[in-house]
Amino acid sequence: MKNLCLLFVVLLCGAVVPLQGVGQTVSHEDGNDLLPRCQQSVEALDKTTWKDAHESFNAGFCLGLVQGVWYASANVCTGPGVTFGQLQRVVLKFLQDNPEKLNLNQSTLVEMALSKAFPCPKK
């Protein structure tokens, strides 16, 4: 199951969309793209319905990335009872509090946020 989640995260984070007629690409793998997605995801946690398909996609994107990094990271050690909603809130707060890091890769940012909030004991 962890391998399947990791594969999903890797494929999801590799999205690059070409600009029309410019010959350049815009990366959708940094924190600037992740921040609004996780904002929508956290806002949707307490709702019973989705506003639209875009909102549900963004919520699923953020949740999938957070879950994938959580499963795959050896640097994140959550205790019992920690919910995925909590993990998403931790990531959102980290992104909001560290705007200078939003140029970093999404997976890197998620791992930074989670490992800071839930560090593993030193051996």
Side-chain angles (χ1 to χ4, degrees), residues 9-86:
V9 169
V10 169
L11 293 175
L12 196 59
C13 291
V16 176
V17 179
L19 290 172
Q20 292 189 5
V22 179
Q24 297 177 340
T25 59
V26 174
S27 173
H28 290 282
E29 12 181 278
D30 67 10
N32 293 300
D33 185 60
L34 184 61
L35 177 59
R37 291 176 189 266
C38 286
Q39 284 172 326
Q40 281 192 331
S41 184
V42 168
E43 289 169 6
L45 286 173
D46 300 323
K47 294 181 184 178
T48 56
T49 61
W50 299 108
K51 179 174 72 176
D52 56 26
H54 186 70
E55 181 182 63
S56 64
F57 176 83
N58 286 338
F61 184 94
C62 179
L63 177 59
L65 183 61
V66 169
Q67 285 181 334
V69 170
W70 176 74
Y71 281 126
S73 177
N75 299 318
V76 179
C77 296
T78 56
V82 174
T83 67
F84 289 124
Q86 283 177 273

